[in-house]
Amino acid sequence: MLLTRLIAQLIAKAIGDGALDLVDADGHRRRIGRGTPSLTLRFHDHRVPRDLLVNPRLHFGEAYMDGRISVEGGTIYDMLDLVTRGTEVHGALGRVLETLSPALRLAQQHNPLDRSRKNVSHHYDLSQAFYRLFLDRDMQYSCAYFARPDMTLDEAQEAKKRHIAAKLLLAPGMRVLDVGCGWGGMALYLAREAGVRVTGITLSAEQLAVARARAEEAGLADRVTFELRDYRQMTGRFDRIVSVGMFEHVGVPHYGTYFAKLRDLLAPDGVALLHSIGRLDGPGATNPWIRKYIFPGGYSPALSEVLPQVEKSGLLSTDIEILRLHYAETLRHWRSRFVAHWDEAKAMYDERFCRMWEFYLAGAEMSFRSQGHMVFQLQLARSIGAVPMVRDYMVRCEEAMAQERERERTLQHHA
């Protein structure tokens, strides 16, 4: 009872003006907060309060995965939404064990080549059939760009690719390197829309196979090649470099190596575009549940950790854009689609796996809505004159690409 009371006190700080019923393993109900709660958090065994006090950010997710806690009157998303509202969430529940020593923090982000391959395989070598349950048609597994609030997921992911292409200032025949190419969607888009030649690299064998098959199917295998290779192993020179959703796996200890390699690979008049999750509220540490179950070795940096390494590499930051709630909306779409295909995912894996992914998608959305996460797009160059003096060119290029795409769709519709 004492441990449950302590948990109730922490929850009360986290939910602010909200209200919640808490039912312990003996069936005792406790009202937390003011007003009439719509949600009930139920503990199904006596170890839950102790585990939550020891490490809430790890054990809350584990207990949900294992069915040791459940939510009544709503979903785990509703519960996470409630407990991240209060102004004291970071102090009470958010950073309980995240005041880590610098040595421990760096150790968690140490990603030599062998560990990088293992970490990538852990997440990305799940079957493509699973990811197709909730991603868009092009299998973009990164933040979409909602140029309009009413965009569908497919429209927003196409807008993201168009937004990035505009920042790359592409011209036909250019050589482009896609670092962390995923299932190949970005590389194929750039080759098709801009007439460039693209080399995509990944550490996921599953993604490599899918990307190569897609290039053949699209008739682009002569212009797009995919390789199972780490960025540290690349050689040659490229007119453009793009990296979307890969930098989160690099780790702070390797930022110097990463940007030095980008500089070496980039032509003297070249342009690079880095798209990554980041932090608005300064350096931190990866949520321990996310680190253990979803992205081992992963870390989303603050710009204060990134820009000094860019400067040391000799690259120039020519444009920085912060996308705040775009990933929250992306994750909302993914979560809705995943839940709609729950039974199919369960048939591929099991109930615990589905609860893990539900918790991941819900928690990730909350991190962008209320816990200081964002996405940044960092445009880089070796020469100060590599891009125009004003950024109007991005808008003009996006508009032209969108108009051309609409014209193609109209022709296809009438064909």
Side-chain angles (χ1 to χ4, degrees):
M1 292 293 290
L2 173 61
L3 297 183
T4 302
R5 186 161 61 247
L6 291 174
I7 290 294
Q9 292 172 358
L10 287 175
I11 292 175
K13 293 180 180 180
I15 64 177
D17 296 330
L20 172 70
D21 273 353
L22 175 63
V23 180
D24 65 21
D26 294 318
H28 299 125
R29 182 176 295 269
R30 185 186 302 270
R31 177 67 49 86
I32 303 173
R34 299 175 182 177
T36 303
S38 59
L39 297 177
T40 297
L41 179 63
R42 185 178 293 274
F43 296 164
H44 294 283
D45 76 54
H46 295 89
R47 296 171 297 161
V48 172
R50 180 204 63 194
D51 290 346
L52 294 184
L53 286 171
V54 170
N55 191 342
R57 287 204 137 188
L58 174 62
H59 294 309
F60 188 80
E62 288 184 331
Y64 182 74
M65 289 164 55
D66 295 336
R68 297 167 57 216
I69 66 171
S70 60
V71 178
E72 299 169 4
T75 66
I76 191 63
Y77 174 85
D78 300 320
M79 180 61 64
L80 292 175
D81 182 31
L82 177 62
V83 300
T84 55
R85 290 179 188 175
T87 57
E88 297 185 52
V89 64
H90 286 300
L93 291 175
R95 296 185 183 270
V96 174
L97 286 184
E98 292 206 357
T99 309
L100 300 169
S101 72
L104 179 57
R105 186 167 167 270
L106 290 176
Q108 291 170 350
Q109 298 172 32
H110 179 55
N111 290 317
L113 183 54
D114 288 347
R115 182 180 291 183
S116 291
R117 286 174 174 155
K118 182 179 178 181
N119 289 343
V120 166
S121 178
H122 174 89
H123 191 81
Y124 296 100
D125 280 345
L126 297 173
S127 73
Q128 63 163 308
F130 169 72
Y131 284 104
R132 287 189 184 279
L133 295 178
F134 63 93
L135 297 182
D136 65 304
R137 286 192 299 267
D138 197 40
M139 294 185 74
Q140 290 290 308
Y141 191 33
S142 59
C143 177
Y145 182 66
F146 288 85
R148 301 188 321 273
D150 62 343
M151 277 184 162
T152 65
L153 180 61
D154 286 289
E155 290 172 336
Q157 289 291 14
E158 184 172 341
K160 182 266 299 293
K161 290 177 286 187
R162 188 162 56 235
H163 196 57
I164 289 173
K167 295 183 178 186
L168 285 170
L169 290 157
L170 298 166
M174 282 184 169
R175 293 188 64 212
V176 179
L177 174 64
D178 184 356
V179 181
C181 62
W183 293 280
M186 178 63 73
L188 296 173
Y189 177 87
L190 297 180
R192 183 176 60 249
E193 300 296 326
V196 295
R197 305 181 70 86
V198 188
T199 299
I201 59 174
T202 179
L203 291 179
S204 166
E206 175 73 14
Q207 288 186 331
L208 177 69
V210 173
R212 285 177 170 173
R214 292 182 68 191
E216 291 286 349
E217 183 181 351
L220 291 170
D222 60 330
R223 281 190 281 152
V224 183
T225 59
F226 296 103
E227 301 175 11
L228 192 69
R229 188 175 298 188
D230 186 80
Y231 69 93
R232 288 163 285 201
Q233 299 172 313
M234 287 302 296
T235 58
R237 282 288 173 87
F238 296 87
D239 303 296
R240 300 292 186 262
I241 299 175
V242 63
S243 184
V244 179
M246 173 271 181
F247 190 66
E248 300 90 333
H249 303 280
V250 172
V252 174
H254 305 278
Y255 287 176
T257 300
Y258 178 85
F259 287 112
K261 174 56 73 171
L262 256 58
R263 185 189 184 282
D264 290 344
L265 294 170
L266 194 62
D269 60 348
V271 177
L273 194 285
L274 173 62
H275 170 116
S276 173
I277 299 172
R279 296 169 184 267
L280 289 167
D281 53 359
T286 302
N287 176 289
W289 185 86
I290 290 288
R291 187 171 61 243
K292 181 176 180 179
Y293 290 99
I294 307 298
F295 293 119
Y299 175 67
S300 302
L303 282 173
S304 59
E305 298 173 287
V306 176
L307 293 179
Q309 297 301 325
V310 172
E311 294 164 0
K312 291 177 183 178
S313 74
L315 289 169
L316 305 175
S317 300
T318 50
D319 190 84
I320 302 174
E321 182 176 8
I322 306 299
L323 306 179
R324 290 164 291 109
L325 291 170
H326 292 263
Y327 216 156
E329 289 302 301
T330 305
L331 285 154
R332 179 176 65 84
H333 281 275
W334 289 349
R335 178 173 51 83
S336 175
R337 290 170 171 228
F338 177 78
V339 171
H341 293 282
W342 186 282
D343 290 342
E344 295 164 74
K346 182 179 176 180
M348 295 179 189
Y349 298 99
D350 58 27
E351 181 76 15
R352 186 176 186 269
F353 177 89
C354 290
R355 290 167 71 90
M356 178 179 75
W357 267 78
E358 181 193 17
F359 189 85
Y360 155 51
L361 294 172
E365 182 178 339
M366 286 301 104
S367 72
F368 287 94
R369 293 204 184 277
S370 58
Q371 293 185 310
H373 277 63
M374 52 78 168
V375 167
F376 63 86
Q377 289 187 347
L378 179 58
Q379 186 193 59
L380 303 167
R382 291 181 59 178
S383 167
I384 198 168
V387 300
M389 290 177 61
V390 293
R391 66 200 312 267
D392 299 26
Y393 69 91
M394 300 178 189
V395 177
R396 292 195 299 269
C397 181
E398 281 187 76
E399 289 176 346
M401 293 177 72
Q403 290 170 3
E404 177 62 22
R405 183 62 175 149
E406 188 58 35
R407 187 184 71 82
E408 291 175 357
R409 285 173 176 156
T410 301
L411 291 175
Q412 290 172 359
H413 177 74
H414 293 292

Coordinates of all heavy atoms in Angstrom, one line a residue, residues 137-217:
R137 N 2.4 4.2 -49.0 CA 2.6 3.3 -50.1 C 4.1 3.2 -50.4 O 4.6 2.1 -50.9 CB 1.9 3.8 -51.3 CG 0.4 3.5 -51.3 CD -0.2 3.8 -52.7 NE 0.0 5.2 -53.1 CZ -0.8 6.2 -52.9 NH1 -2.0 5.9 -52.3 NH2 -0.6 7.4 -53.4
D138 N 4.9 4.2 -50.2 CA 6.3 4.3 -50.5 C 7.2 3.8 -49.4 O 8.4 3.8 -49.5 CB 6.7 5.7 -50.9 CG 8.0 5.8 -51.7 OD1 8.2 4.9 -52.5 OD2 8.8 6.7 -51.4
M139 N 6.6 3.4 -48.3 CA 7.3 2.8 -47.1 C 8.3 3.8 -46.6 O 9.5 3.5 -46.3 CB 8.0 1.5 -47.5 CG 7.0 0.4 -47.8 SD 7.8 -1.2 -48.0 CE 8.2 -1.6 -46.3
Q140 N 7.9 5.1 -46.4 CA 8.7 6.1 -45.8 C 8.6 6.0 -44.3 O 7.6 6.2 -43.7 CB 8.3 7.5 -46.3 CG 8.6 7.8 -47.7 CD 10.0 8.0 -47.9 OE1 10.7 8.8 -47.3 NE2 10.5 7.3 -48.9
Y141 N 9.7 5.6 -43.7 CA 9.7 5.4 -42.2 C 10.5 6.5 -41.5 O 11.4 6.3 -40.8 CB 10.4 4.0 -41.9 CG 10.2 3.6 -40.5 CD1 9.0 3.9 -39.7 CD2 11.2 2.8 -39.8 CE1 8.9 3.4 -38.4 CE2 11.0 2.4 -38.5 CZ 9.9 2.7 -37.8 OH 9.8 2.3 -36.5
S142 N 10.0 7.7 -41.8 CA 10.5 8.9 -41.2 C 9.5 10.0 -41.2 O 8.4 9.8 -41.8 CB 11.8 9.4 -41.9 OG 11.5 9.7 -43.3
C143 N 9.7 11.1 -40.6 CA 8.8 12.2 -40.5 C 8.2 12.7 -41.8 O 9.0 13.0 -42.7 CB 9.4 13.3 -39.7 SG 8.4 14.8 -39.5
A144 N 6.9 12.7 -42.0 CA 6.3 13.3 -43.1 C 6.3 14.8 -43.0 O 6.6 15.4 -42.0 CB 4.9 12.7 -43.3
Y145 N 5.9 15.5 -44.1 CA 5.8 16.9 -44.1 C 4.4 17.4 -44.5 O 3.9 17.2 -45.6 CB 6.8 17.5 -45.2 CG 6.9 19.0 -45.2 CD1 7.4 19.7 -44.2 CD2 6.5 19.6 -46.4 CE1 7.4 21.1 -44.3 CE2 6.6 21.0 -46.5 CZ 7.1 21.8 -45.4 OH 7.1 23.1 -45.5
F146 N 3.7 17.9 -43.5 CA 2.3 18.2 -43.6 C 2.2 19.7 -44.1 O 1.9 20.6 -43.3 CB 1.5 18.0 -42.4 CG 1.3 16.5 -42.1 CD1 2.3 15.7 -41.4 CD2 0.1 15.8 -42.5 CE1 2.1 14.4 -41.2 CE2 0.0 14.5 -42.3 CZ 0.9 13.7 -41.7
A147 N 2.3 19.9 -45.4 CA 2.3 21.2 -45.9 C 0.8 21.8 -45.7 O 0.7 23.0 -45.7 CB 2.6 21.2 -47.4
R148 N -0.1 20.9 -45.7 CA -1.5 21.3 -45.3 C -2.0 20.3 -44.2 O -1.7 19.1 -44.2 CB -2.4 21.2 -46.5 CG -2.1 22.0 -47.7 CD -3.3 21.9 -48.8 NE -3.8 20.5 -48.8 CZ -3.3 19.6 -49.6 NH1 -2.3 19.8 -50.4 NH2 -3.9 18.3 -49.6
P149 N -2.8 20.8 -43.3 CA -3.2 20.0 -42.2 C -4.1 18.8 -42.6 O -4.1 17.8 -41.9 CB -4.0 20.9 -41.3 CG -3.6 22.3 -41.7 CD -3.2 22.2 -43.1
D150 N -4.8 18.9 -43.8 CA -5.7 17.9 -44.2 C -5.0 16.8 -45.1 O -5.7 16.0 -45.7 CB -6.9 18.5 -44.9 CG -6.5 19.3 -46.2 OD1 -5.3 19.6 -46.3 OD2 -7.4 19.5 -47.0
M151 N -3.7 16.9 -45.2 CA -3.0 15.9 -46.1 C -3.2 14.5 -45.6 O -3.2 14.2 -44.4 CB -1.5 16.2 -46.2 CG -1.2 17.3 -47.2 SD 0.6 17.4 -47.2 CE 0.8 18.3 -48.8
T152 N -3.3 13.5 -46.5 CA -3.2 12.1 -46.1 C -1.8 11.8 -45.8 O -0.9 12.6 -46.2 CB -3.8 11.2 -47.3 OG1 -2.9 11.4 -48.4 CG2 -5.2 11.6 -47.7
L153 N -1.5 10.6 -45.3 CA -0.2 10.2 -45.0 C 0.6 10.1 -46.3 O 1.8 10.5 -46.4 CB -0.2 8.9 -44.2 CG 1.2 8.3 -43.9 CD1 2.0 9.3 -43.0 CD2 1.1 7.0 -43.2
D154 N 0.0 9.5 -47.3 CA 0.7 9.4 -48.6 C 1.1 10.8 -49.2 O 2.2 11.0 -49.7 CB -0.1 8.6 -49.6 CG -0.2 7.1 -49.3 OD1 0.9 6.5 -49.4 OD2 -1.2 6.6 -48.8
E155 N 0.2 11.7 -49.1 CA 0.4 13.0 -49.6 C 1.5 13.7 -48.8 O 2.4 14.4 -49.4 CB -0.8 13.9 -49.6 CG -1.9 13.5 -50.5 CD -3.2 14.2 -50.3 OE1 -3.5 14.6 -49.2 OE2 -4.0 14.3 -51.3
A156 N 1.5 13.6 -47.5 CA 2.5 14.2 -46.7 C 3.9 13.6 -46.8 O 4.9 14.3 -46.8 CB 2.1 14.1 -45.2
Q157 N 4.0 12.3 -47.1 CA 5.3 11.7 -47.3 C 5.8 12.1 -48.7 O 7.0 12.3 -48.8 CB 5.2 10.2 -47.2 CG 5.0 9.6 -45.8 CD 6.2 9.9 -44.9 OE1 7.1 10.6 -45.2 NE2 6.2 9.2 -43.7
E158 N 5.0 12.3 -49.7 CA 5.4 12.8 -51.0 C 5.9 14.2 -50.8 O 6.9 14.6 -51.4 CB 4.3 12.6 -52.0 CG 4.8 13.1 -53.4 CD 3.8 12.8 -54.5 OE1 2.9 12.0 -54.3 OE2 3.9 13.4 -55.6
A159 N 5.2 15.0 -50.0 CA 5.6 16.4 -49.8 C 6.9 16.4 -49.1 O 7.7 17.3 -49.4 CB 4.5 17.1 -49.0
K160 N 7.2 15.5 -48.2 CA 8.5 15.4 -47.5 C 9.6 15.2 -48.5 O 10.7 15.9 -48.5 CB 8.5 14.3 -46.5 CG 9.8 14.1 -45.6 CD 10.8 13.1 -46.2 CE 10.2 11.7 -46.2 NZ 9.9 11.1 -44.9
K161 N 9.4 14.3 -49.4 CA 10.5 14.0 -50.4 C 10.7 15.2 -51.3 O 11.8 15.5 -51.7 CB 10.1 12.7 -51.2 CG 10.2 11.4 -50.4 CD 9.7 10.2 -51.2 CE 8.2 10.2 -51.4 NZ 7.7 9.0 -52.0
R162 N 9.6 15.8 -51.7 CA 9.7 17.0 -52.5 C 10.4 18.2 -51.8 O 11.2 18.9 -52.4 CB 8.2 17.4 -52.9 CG 8.2 18.5 -54.0 CD 6.8 18.6 -54.6 NE 5.7 18.7 -53.6 CZ 4.7 17.9 -53.5 NH1 4.6 16.8 -54.3 NH2 3.7 18.1 -52.6
H163 N 10.1 18.3 -50.5 CA 10.7 19.4 -49.7 C 12.2 19.2 -49.6 O 13.0 20.1 -49.8 CB 10.1 19.3 -48.3 CG 10.3 20.5 -47.5 ND1 10.0 21.8 -47.8 CD2 10.9 20.6 -46.2 CE1 10.3 22.6 -46.9 NE2 10.9 22.0 -45.9
I164 N 12.6 17.9 -49.5 CA 14.1 17.6 -49.4 C 14.7 17.8 -50.8 O 15.8 18.4 -50.9 CB 14.3 16.2 -48.9 CG1 13.9 16.2 -47.4 CG2 15.7 15.7 -49.1 CD1 13.9 14.8 -46.8
A165 N 14.1 17.3 -51.8 CA 14.6 17.5 -53.2 C 14.9 18.9 -53.5 O 15.9 19.3 -54.1 CB 13.7 16.8 -54.2
A166 N 13.9 19.8 -53.1 CA 14.1 21.2 -53.4 C 15.3 21.8 -52.7 O 16.0 22.7 -53.3 CB 12.8 22.0 -52.9
K167 N 15.6 21.3 -51.5 CA 16.8 21.8 -50.8 C 18.1 21.3 -51.4 O 19.2 21.8 -51.1 CB 16.7 21.5 -49.3 CG 15.6 22.1 -48.6 CD 15.5 21.8 -47.1 CE 14.4 22.5 -46.4 NZ 14.4 22.3 -44.9
L168 N 18.0 20.2 -52.1 CA 19.3 19.6 -52.7 C 19.7 20.3 -54.0 O 20.8 20.0 -54.5 CB 19.0 18.1 -52.9 CG 19.0 17.2 -51.7 CD1 18.6 15.8 -52.0 CD2 20.4 17.2 -51.0
L169 N 18.8 21.1 -54.6 CA 19.2 21.8 -55.8 C 19.8 20.8 -56.9 O 20.9 20.9 -57.4 CB 20.3 22.9 -55.5 CG 19.8 24.1 -54.7 CD1 21.0 24.8 -54.0 CD2 19.1 25.1 -55.7
L170 N 18.9 19.9 -57.2 CA 19.3 18.8 -58.1 C 19.3 19.2 -59.6 O 18.6 20.1 -60.0 CB 18.4 17.6 -57.9 CG 18.4 17.0 -56.5 CD1 17.2 16.1 -56.3 CD2 19.7 16.2 -56.2
A171 N 20.2 18.6 -60.3 CA 20.2 18.7 -61.8 C 20.4 17.4 -62.4 O 21.1 16.5 -61.8 CB 21.3 19.7 -62.2
P172 N 19.9 17.1 -63.6 CA 20.0 15.8 -64.2 C 21.5 15.4 -64.4 O 22.3 16.2 -64.7 CB 19.4 16.0 -65.6 CG 18.4 17.1 -65.4 CD 19.0 18.0 -64.4
G173 N 21.7 14.1 -64.1 CA 23.0 13.5 -64.2 C 23.9 13.6 -63.0 O 25.0 13.0 -62.9
M174 N 23.5 14.4 -62.0 CA 24.2 14.4 -60.7 C 24.4 13.1 -60.0 O 23.5 12.2 -60.2 CB 23.6 15.4 -59.8 CG 23.8 16.9 -60.1 SD 23.1 18.0 -58.8 CE 23.8 19.5 -59.2
R175 N 25.5 12.9 -59.3 CA 25.7 11.7 -58.5 C 25.2 12.0 -57.1 O 25.7 13.0 -56.5 CB 27.1 11.3 -58.5 CG 27.6 10.8 -59.9 CD 29.0 10.2 -59.7 NE 29.0 9.0 -58.9 CZ 30.0 8.7 -58.1 NH1 31.1 9.4 -58.0 NH2 29.9 7.6 -57.3
V176 N 24.3 11.2 -56.6 CA 23.7 11.4 -55.2 C 24.0 10.2 -54.4 O 23.8 9.1 -54.8 CB 22.2 11.7 -55.3 CG1 21.6 11.9 -53.9 CG2 22.0 12.9 -56.2
L177 N 24.4 10.5 -53.1 CA 24.5 9.4 -52.1 C 23.4 9.5 -51.1 O 23.2 10.6 -50.5 CB 25.9 9.5 -51.4 CG 26.1 8.5 -50.2 CD1 26.1 7.1 -50.7 CD2 27.4 8.9 -49.5
D178 N 22.7 8.4 -50.9 CA 21.6 8.3 -49.9 C 22.1 7.5 -48.7 O 22.2 6.3 -48.8 CB 20.4 7.7 -50.5 CG 19.2 7.7 -49.5 OD1 19.3 8.1 -48.4 OD2 18.1 7.3 -50.0
V179 N 22.5 8.2 -47.6 CA 23.0 7.5 -46.4 C 21.9 7.0 -45.5 O 21.2 7.8 -44.9 CB 24.0 8.4 -45.7 CG1 24.6 7.7 -44.5 CG2 25.1 9.0 -46.6
G180 N 21.7 5.7 -45.4 CA 20.6 5.2 -44.7 C 19.4 5.2 -45.5 O 18.4 5.8 -45.2
C181 N 19.4 4.4 -46.6 CA 18.4 4.6 -47.7 C 17.1 3.9 -47.4 O 16.1 4.0 -48.2 CB 19.0 4.0 -49.0 SG 19.4 2.3 -49.0
G182 N 17.0 3.1 -46.3 CA 15.7 2.4 -46.0 C 15.3 1.5 -47.1 O 16.2 0.7 -47.6
W183 N 14.1 1.5 -47.4 CA 13.5 0.6 -48.4 C 13.6 1.2 -49.8 O 13.0 0.7 -50.8 CB 12.1 0.2 -48.1 CG 12.0 -0.7 -46.9 CD1 12.2 -2.0 -46.8 CD2 11.6 -0.3 -45.6 NE1 12.0 -2.5 -45.6 CE2 11.6 -1.4 -44.8 CE3 11.2 1.0 -45.1 CZ2 11.2 -1.4 -43.4 CZ3 10.9 1.0 -43.7 CH2 10.9 -0.1 -42.9
G184 N 14.4 2.3 -49.9 CA 14.7 2.8 -51.3 C 13.8 3.9 -51.8 O 14.1 4.5 -52.9
G185 N 12.8 4.3 -51.1 CA 11.8 5.3 -51.6 C 12.4 6.6 -52.0 O 12.1 7.2 -53.0
M186 N 13.3 7.2 -51.1 CA 13.9 8.5 -51.4 C 14.8 8.4 -52.6 O 14.7 9.3 -53.5 CB 14.6 9.0 -50.2 CG 15.3 10.4 -50.4 SD 14.2 11.7 -50.8 CE 13.5 11.9 -49.1
A187 N 15.6 7.4 -52.7 CA 16.6 7.3 -53.8 C 15.8 7.1 -55.1 O 16.1 7.8 -56.1 CB 17.5 6.0 -53.6
L188 N 14.7 6.3 -55.1 CA 13.9 6.1 -56.4 C 13.2 7.4 -56.7 O 13.1 7.7 -57.9 CB 13.0 5.0 -56.1 CG 13.6 3.6 -55.9 CD1 12.5 2.6 -55.5 CD2 14.4 3.1 -57.1
Y189 N 12.7 8.1 -55.8 CA 12.0 9.4 -56.0 C 13.0 10.4 -56.7 O 12.6 11.0 -57.7 CB 11.5 9.9 -54.7 CG 10.8 11.3 -54.9 CD1 9.5 11.4 -55.2 CD2 11.5 12.5 -54.7 CE1 8.8 12.6 -55.4 CE2 10.9 13.7 -54.8 CZ 9.6 13.8 -55.2 OH 9.0 15.0 -55.3
L190 N 14.2 10.5 -56.1 CA 15.1 11.5 -56.7 C 15.5 11.2 -58.1 O 15.6 12.0 -59.0 CB 16.3 11.6 -55.8 CG 16.1 12.1 -54.3 CD1 17.4 12.2 -53.6 CD2 15.4 13.5 -54.3
A191 N 15.8 9.9 -58.3 CA 16.2 9.4 -59.7 C 15.0 9.7 -60.7 O 15.3 10.1 -61.8 CB 16.5 8.0 -59.6
R192 N 13.8 9.4 -60.3 CA 12.7 9.5 -61.2 C 12.3 11.0 -61.4 O 12.1 11.4 -62.6 CB 11.5 8.8 -60.6 CG 10.2 8.8 -61.4 CD 9.1 8.0 -60.8 NE 8.7 8.5 -59.5 CZ 8.9 7.8 -58.4 NH1 9.6 6.7 -58.4 NH2 8.5 8.3 -57.2
E193 N 12.3 11.8 -60.4 CA 11.8 13.1 -60.5 C 12.9 14.1 -61.0 O 12.6 15.1 -61.6 CB 11.3 13.6 -59.2 CG 10.1 12.8 -58.6 CD 8.9 12.9 -59.5 OE1 8.7 14.0 -60.1 OE2 8.1 11.9 -59.6
A194 N 14.2 13.8 -60.7 CA 15.2 14.8 -61.0 C 16.2 14.3 -62.0 O 17.2 15.0 -62.4 CB 15.9 15.2 -59.7
G195 N 16.1 13.0 -62.4 CA 17.1 12.5 -63.4 C 18.5 12.3 -62.9 O 19.4 12.4 -63.7
V196 N 18.6 12.0 -61.6 CA 20.0 11.9 -61.0 C 20.3 10.4 -60.9 O 19.4 9.5 -61.0 CB 20.1 12.6 -59.7 CG1 19.9 14.1 -59.8 CG2 19.0 12.0 -58.7
R197 N 21.6 10.1 -60.6 CA 22.1 8.8 -60.4 C 22.3 8.7 -58.9 O 23.0 9.5 -58.3 CB 23.3 8.5 -61.1 CG 23.2 8.7 -62.6 CD 24.5 8.4 -63.4 NE 24.7 7.0 -63.4 CZ 24.2 6.1 -64.3 NH1 23.4 6.6 -65.3 NH2 24.5 4.9 -64.3
V198 N 21.7 7.6 -58.2 CA 21.7 7.5 -56.8 C 22.4 6.2 -56.3 O 22.1 5.2 -56.9 CB 20.3 7.6 -56.2 CG1 20.4 7.7 -54.7 CG2 19.6 8.8 -56.8
T199 N 23.2 6.3 -55.3 CA 23.8 5.2 -54.6 C 23.2 5.2 -53.2 O 23.4 6.2 -52.5 CB 25.3 5.2 -54.5 OG1 25.8 5.2 -55.8 CG2 25.8 4.0 -53.7
G200 N 22.4 4.2 -52.8 CA 21.9 4.1 -51.5 C 22.6 3.1 -50.7 O 22.9 2.0 -51.2
I201 N 22.8 3.4 -49.4 CA 23.5 2.5 -48.5 C 22.7 2.2 -47.3 O 22.0 3.1 -46.8 CB 24.9 2.9 -48.1 CG1 24.9 4.3 -47.4 CG2 25.8 3.0 -49.4 CD1 26.3 4.7 -46.9
T202 N 22.7 1.0 -46.8 CA 22.0 0.6 -45.6 C 22.7 -0.5 -44.9 O 23.6 -1.2 -45.5 CB 20.6 0.1 -45.9 OG1 19.9 -0.3 -44.8 CG2 20.6 -1.1 -46.9
L203 N 22.4 -0.7 -43.6 CA 23.0 -1.8 -42.9 C 22.0 -2.9 -42.6 O 22.2 -3.9 -41.9 CB 23.6 -1.3 -41.5 CG 24.8 -0.5 -41.6 CD1 25.2 0.0 -40.2 CD2 25.9 -1.2 -42.3
S204 N 20.8 -2.8 -43.2 CA 19.7 -3.8 -43.0 C 19.6 -4.6 -44.3 O 19.4 -4.2 -45.4 CB 18.4 -3.0 -42.8 OG 17.3 -4.0 -43.0
A205 N 19.8 -5.9 -44.1 CA 19.8 -6.9 -45.2 C 18.3 -6.9 -45.8 O 18.1 -7.1 -47.0 CB 20.2 -8.3 -44.8
E206 N 17.3 -6.8 -44.9 CA 15.9 -6.9 -45.3 C 15.6 -5.7 -46.2 O 15.0 -5.8 -47.3 CB 15.0 -6.9 -44.1 CG 13.5 -6.8 -44.4 CD 13.0 -8.1 -45.0 OE1 13.6 -9.1 -45.0 OE2 11.8 -8.0 -45.6
Q207 N 16.1 -4.5 -45.7 CA 15.8 -3.3 -46.5 C 16.5 -3.3 -47.9 O 16.0 -2.9 -48.9 CB 16.2 -2.0 -45.7 CG 15.3 -1.7 -44.5 CD 15.6 -0.4 -43.9 OE1 16.8 0.0 -43.9 NE2 14.6 0.2 -43.3
L208 N 17.8 -3.8 -47.8 CA 18.5 -3.9 -49.1 C 17.8 -4.7 -50.1 O 17.7 -4.3 -51.3 CB 19.9 -4.5 -48.8 CG 20.8 -4.7 -50.0 CD1 21.3 -3.4 -50.6 CD2 22.0 -5.6 -49.7
A209 N 17.3 -5.9 -49.7 CA 16.6 -6.7 -50.7 C 15.4 -6.1 -51.3 O 15.1 -6.2 -52.5 CB 16.3 -8.1 -50.0
V210 N 14.6 -5.4 -50.4 CA 13.4 -4.7 -50.8 C 13.8 -3.6 -51.8 O 13.1 -3.4 -52.8 CB 12.6 -4.2 -49.6 CG1 11.4 -3.4 -50.1 CG2 12.1 -5.4 -48.8
A211 N 14.8 -2.8 -51.4 CA 15.1 -1.6 -52.2 C 15.6 -2.1 -53.6 O 15.2 -1.5 -54.6 CB 16.2 -0.8 -51.5
R212 N 16.4 -3.1 -53.7 CA 16.9 -3.6 -55.0 C 15.7 -4.1 -55.9 O 15.7 -3.8 -57.1 CB 17.9 -4.7 -54.8 CG 19.3 -4.2 -54.4 CD 20.3 -5.3 -54.1 NE 21.6 -4.7 -53.9 CZ 22.7 -5.5 -53.5 NH1 22.5 -6.8 -53.3 NH2 23.9 -4.9 -53.3
A213 N 14.8 -4.8 -55.2 CA 13.6 -5.3 -56.0 C 12.8 -4.2 -56.5 O 12.3 -4.2 -57.6 CB 12.8 -6.2 -55.1
R214 N 12.6 -3.1 -55.7 CA 11.8 -2.0 -56.1 C 12.5 -1.2 -57.3 O 11.8 -0.7 -58.2 CB 11.6 -1.0 -54.9 CG 10.8 -1.6 -53.8 CD 10.6 -0.6 -52.7 NE 9.8 0.6 -53.2 CZ 9.6 1.7 -52.5 NH1 10.2 1.9 -51.4 NH2 8.8 2.6 -53.0
A215 N 13.8 -1.1 -57.2 CA 14.5 -0.5 -58.3 C 14.3 -1.2 -59.7 O 14.1 -0.6 -60.7 CB 16.0 -0.4 -58.0
E216 N 14.4 -2.5 -59.6 CA 14.2 -3.3 -60.8 C 12.7 -3.2 -61.3 O 12.5 -3.0 -62.5 CB 14.4 -4.8 -60.5 CG 15.9 -5.2 -60.3 CD 16.7 -5.2 -61.5 OE1 16.1 -5.1 -62.7 OE2 17.9 -5.2 -61.5
E217 N 11.8 -3.2 -60.4 CA 10.4 -3.1 -60.7 C 10.1 -1.8 -61.3 O 9.2 -1.7 -62.3 CB 9.5 -3.3 -59.5 CG 8.0 -3.3 -59.7 CD 7.2 -3.5 -58.5 OE1 7.8 -3.8 -57.4 OE2 6.0 -3.4 -58.5

